Amino acid sequence: MLIEEQAAELLRRCEQVAGRQLTQIRGNLRRASTRAAAVWELLVLEAAAQLGDVRCESEEGGPDVLLRLPTGRWVSIEVAY
């Protein structure tokens, strides 16, 4: 498990990638019962961002992460912990 400072840095990087505050993930990080799953989602988001453009926490709902591959095709990623 990550220490608090590492989780905060991971959240900062993911919010930078997303271009906005990740409200739902922030809320999940605050609760012990959902913290590990939130960290896992951040790790998946950061890894996906290495492959292409990503979108997450869509206002309309949908998958946890949308990844646009270099071919231009969008791929849905549902993060399960």
Side-chain angles (χ1 to χ4, degrees), residues 8-37:
E9 175 59 20
L10 180 59
L11 175 62
R12 185 196 66 74
R13 289 194 312 254
C14 288
E15 287 182 334
Q16 185 176 17
V17 164
R20 62 186 176 81
Q21 190 175 71
L22 300 174
T23 308
Q24 183 179 3
I25 293 175
R26 280 179 170 271
N28 289 339
L29 286 169
R30 289 189 185 101
R31 292 187 301 277
S33 63
T34 57
R35 189 170 299 129

Side-chain angles (χ1 to χ4, degrees), residues 20 24 55-64 66 78:
R20 62 186 176 81
Q24 183 179 3
R55 295 196 179 127
C56 58
E57 284 193 7
S58 171
E59 301 277 328
E60 302 85 40
D64 294 321
L66 277 173
E78 192 63 38

